[in-house]
Coordinates of all heavy atoms in Angstrom, one line a residue:
Q403 N 64.8 121.0 131.6 CA 64.3 122.2 131.0 C 65.2 123.4 131.2 O 65.5 124.1 130.2 CB 62.9 122.5 131.6 CG 61.9 123.1 130.6 CD 60.6 123.4 131.3 OE1 60.1 122.6 132.1 NE2 60.0 124.6 131.1
V404 N 65.7 123.6 132.4 CA 66.7 124.6 132.7 C 68.0 124.4 131.9 O 68.5 125.3 131.3 CB 66.9 124.8 134.2 CG1 68.1 125.8 134.4 CG2 65.7 125.2 134.9
A405 N 68.4 123.2 131.9 CA 69.7 122.9 131.2 C 69.5 123.2 129.7 O 70.4 123.8 129.1 CB 70.1 121.4 131.4
H406 N 68.4 122.8 129.1 CA 68.2 123.0 127.7 C 68.1 124.5 127.4 O 68.7 125.0 126.4 CB 66.9 122.3 127.3 CG 66.6 122.5 125.8 ND1 67.3 121.9 124.8 CD2 65.6 123.3 125.2 CE1 66.8 122.3 123.6 NE2 65.8 123.1 123.9
A407 N 67.4 125.3 128.3 CA 67.3 126.7 128.1 C 68.7 127.3 128.1 O 69.0 128.2 127.3 CB 66.4 127.3 129.1
C408 N 69.6 126.9 129.0 CA 70.9 127.4 129.1 C 71.7 127.0 127.8 O 72.4 127.9 127.2 CB 71.7 126.8 130.3 SG 71.1 127.4 131.8
H409 N 71.6 125.8 127.3 CA 72.3 125.4 126.1 C 71.9 126.2 124.9 O 72.8 126.7 124.2 CB 72.0 123.9 125.8 CG 72.5 122.9 126.9 ND1 72.1 121.6 127.0 CD2 73.4 123.1 127.9 CE1 72.7 121.0 128.0 NE2 73.5 121.9 128.5
I410 N 70.6 126.4 124.7 CA 70.3 127.2 123.5 C 70.6 128.7 123.6 O 70.7 129.4 122.6 CB 68.8 126.9 123.0 CG1 67.8 127.4 124.1 CG2 68.6 125.5 122.7 CD1 66.4 127.3 123.7
A411 N 70.9 129.1 124.9 CA 71.3 130.5 125.0 C 72.8 130.6 125.0 O 73.4 131.7 125.2 CB 70.7 131.0 126.4
G412 N 73.5 129.5 124.8 CA 75.0 129.5 124.7 C 75.7 129.4 126.0 O 76.8 129.9 126.2
L413 N 75.1 128.6 127.0 CA 75.8 128.3 128.2 C 75.9 126.7 128.4 O 74.8 126.1 128.5 CB 75.1 128.9 129.4 CG 75.6 128.5 130.8 CD1 77.1 129.0 131.0 CD2 74.7 128.9 131.9
M414 N 77.1 126.2 128.4 CA 77.2 124.7 128.6 C 77.1 124.4 130.1 O 77.9 124.8 130.9 CB 78.6 124.3 128.1 CG 78.9 122.9 128.3 SD 77.9 121.9 127.2 CE 77.3 120.7 128.4
V415 N 76.0 123.7 130.5 CA 75.9 123.3 131.8 C 75.6 121.8 131.8 O 75.1 121.2 130.8 CB 74.7 123.9 132.6 CG1 75.0 125.4 132.9 CG2 73.4 123.8 132.0
L416 N 75.9 121.1 132.9 CA 75.7 119.6 133.0 C 74.7 119.3 134.1 O 74.6 120.2 135.0 CB 77.0 118.9 133.3 CG 78.2 119.1 132.3 CD1 79.5 118.6 133.0 CD2 77.9 118.3 131.1
T417 N 74.1 118.2 134.0 CA 73.2 117.8 135.1 C 73.9 116.6 135.7 O 74.8 116.0 135.2 CB 71.8 117.4 134.5 OG1 72.0 116.3 133.6 CG2 71.1 118.5 133.9
C418 N 73.3 116.1 136.9 CA 73.8 114.9 137.5 C 72.8 114.5 138.5 O 71.7 115.1 138.6 CB 75.2 115.1 138.1 SG 75.3 116.3 139.4
G419 N 73.2 113.5 139.3 CA 72.3 113.1 140.4 C 71.6 111.8 140.2 O 71.2 111.5 139.0
T420 N 71.5 111.0 141.2 CA 70.8 109.7 141.1 C 69.4 109.9 140.5 O 68.9 109.1 139.8 CB 70.7 109.1 142.6 OG1 72.0 108.9 143.0 CG2 69.9 107.8 142.6
Y421 N 68.8 111.0 140.9 CA 67.4 111.3 140.4 C 67.4 112.2 139.2 O 66.4 112.7 138.8 CB 66.6 111.9 141.5 CG 66.8 111.1 142.8 CD1 67.4 111.8 143.9 CD2 66.4 109.8 143.0 CE1 67.7 111.1 145.1 CE2 66.6 109.1 144.2 CZ 67.3 109.8 145.2 OH 67.5 109.1 146.4
G422 N 68.6 112.6 138.6 CA 68.7 113.5 137.5 C 68.1 114.9 137.7 O 67.7 115.6 136.8
N423 N 68.2 115.3 139.0 CA 67.6 116.6 139.3 C 68.6 117.6 139.9 O 68.2 118.5 140.7 CB 66.5 116.3 140.4 CG 67.1 115.8 141.7 OD1 68.1 115.1 141.7 ND2 66.4 116.2 142.8
V424 N 69.8 117.5 139.5 CA 70.9 118.4 139.9 C 71.5 119.1 138.7 O 71.9 118.4 137.8 CB 71.9 117.6 140.8 CG1 73.0 118.6 141.3 CG2 71.3 117.0 142.0
L425 N 71.6 120.4 138.8 CA 72.4 121.1 137.8 C 73.8 121.4 138.4 O 73.8 121.9 139.5 CB 71.7 122.5 137.5 CG 70.5 122.5 136.7 CD1 69.7 123.8 136.9 CD2 70.8 122.3 135.2
R426 N 74.8 121.0 137.7 CA 76.2 121.2 138.3 C 77.0 122.2 137.5 O 76.8 122.2 136.3 CB 76.9 119.9 138.4 CG 77.0 119.1 137.1 CD 77.9 117.9 137.3 NE 77.6 116.9 136.3 CZ 78.3 115.8 136.1 NH1 79.4 115.6 136.9 NH2 78.0 114.9 135.2
F427 N 77.8 122.9 138.2 CA 78.6 123.9 137.5 C 80.1 123.6 137.8 O 80.5 123.6 139.0 CB 78.2 125.3 138.1 CG 76.7 125.5 138.0 CD1 76.0 125.6 139.2 CD2 76.0 125.4 136.8 CE1 74.6 125.7 139.2 CE2 74.6 125.6 136.8 CZ 73.9 125.7 138.0
L428 N 80.9 123.4 136.8 CA 82.3 123.1 136.8 C 83.1 123.9 135.8 O 83.7 123.4 134.9 CB 82.5 121.6 136.4 CG 81.9 120.5 137.3 CD1 81.8 119.2 136.6 CD2 82.8 120.3 138.6

Side-chain angles (χ1 to χ4, degrees):
Q403 214 181 314
V404 171
H406 180 71
C408 290
H409 293 165
I410 60 176
L413 173 68
M414 178 66 230
V415 292
L416 300 167
T417 61
C418 64
T420 298
Y421 317 110
N423 65 328
V424 178
L425 287 158
R426 58 171 153 174
F427 312 113
L428 293 161

